[in-house]
Amino acid sequence: MSPTSPLVVVMGVSGSGKSVVGAALAQRLRVPFGDADDLHPATNIAKMTAGEALDDDDRRPWLEAIGLWLAGQDVEGGVIGCSALKRKYRDQLRHHAPRVVFLHLDGSRDVIARRQASRPGHFMPTSLLTSQFATLERLAPDEAGVVIDVDQSVDAIVQQYVDQAAAVLTAKEISS
């Protein structure tokens, strides 16, 4: 792999498909996949399982772990599924991996709630969906990334990302 191998954060609210789409995208791009849920400290999982939303203090060490994962994948490339709901969270990730590109899996509350309901046993209860949407700060024009509607097949989402990625990377290189 070259130092320009894809480095992607698949972001969005809980239930948007970050893990499924991220794994499929990583396979398509032939790079490793990581799931940020696996990097949560036990205290965060316990808090979410109890129906409590995480605050910025809870997220800070988790985001550091994700940033370190991204930095470790800088040469080989990689895809990680991570909510990255606020600009400052994405900035924290970019601090570790400046060339990272974001894929925001976007959808209506109804579509996401339906998807979330199809994941029995996940530690994130559907009751926290409202707080996820309240926290979400959409990608700003100066952030390298694409927004894709989740109300389609995983294959269609991956293909749409691949089709748009070259344009995003070209725009990012021009602005650097």
Side-chain angles (χ1 to χ4, degrees):
M1 295 280 164
S2 72
T4 57
S5 295
L7 193 59
V8 182
V9 171
V10 180
M11 63 169 280
V13 298
S14 178
S16 61
K18 297 179 296 290
S19 298
V20 172
V21 171
L25 181 61
Q27 183 177 13
R28 173 80 178 266
L29 299 175
R30 294 184 171 89
V31 296
F33 173 69
D35 192 327
D37 283 349
D38 297 337
L39 301 175
H40 269 297
T43 53
N44 284 8
I45 292 174
K47 192 171 183 178
M48 289 182 287
T49 300
E52 296 177 51
L54 300 180
D55 60 27
D56 287 354
D57 290 333
D58 297 322
R59 287 187 179 100
R60 194 169 296 109
W62 174 64
L63 290 164
E64 279 299 301
I66 297 162
L68 292 171
W69 186 93
L70 285 165
Q73 299 302 129
D74 192 46
V75 173
E76 185 180 3
V79 174
I80 192 162
C82 169
S83 53
L85 297 176
K86 288 185 179 180
R87 169 73 185 245
K88 71 180 182 176
Y89 304 161
R90 296 186 296 270
D91 288 346
Q92 188 175 350
L93 298 178
R94 275 190 289 269
H95 171 76
H96 292 283
R99 69 182 191 88
V100 71
V101 174
F102 293 87
L103 163 52
H104 177 189
L105 298 176
D106 195 22
S108 71
R109 193 180 192 310
D110 290 343
V111 168
I112 301 294
R114 187 173 63 244
R115 292 172 68 108
Q116 200 176 43
S118 70
R119 306 181 320 163
H122 191 274
F123 64 80
M124 176 71 92
T126 56
S127 62
L128 290 179
L129 188 56
T130 299
S131 73
Q132 291 261 302
F133 273 103
T135 302
L136 177 63
E137 295 173 2
R138 299 186 176 283
L139 289 174
D142 66 329
E143 293 184 272
V146 297
V147 179
I148 297 178
D149 188 337
V150 299
D151 200 12
Q152 55 186 323
S153 72
V154 171
D155 289 340
I157 293 169
V158 169
Q159 186 61 52
Q160 189 175 346
Y161 176 80
V162 169
D163 292 346
Q164 292 180 19
V168 169
L169 293 174
T170 300
K172 184 175 179 183
E173 289 168 1
I174 290 170
S175 68
S176 296

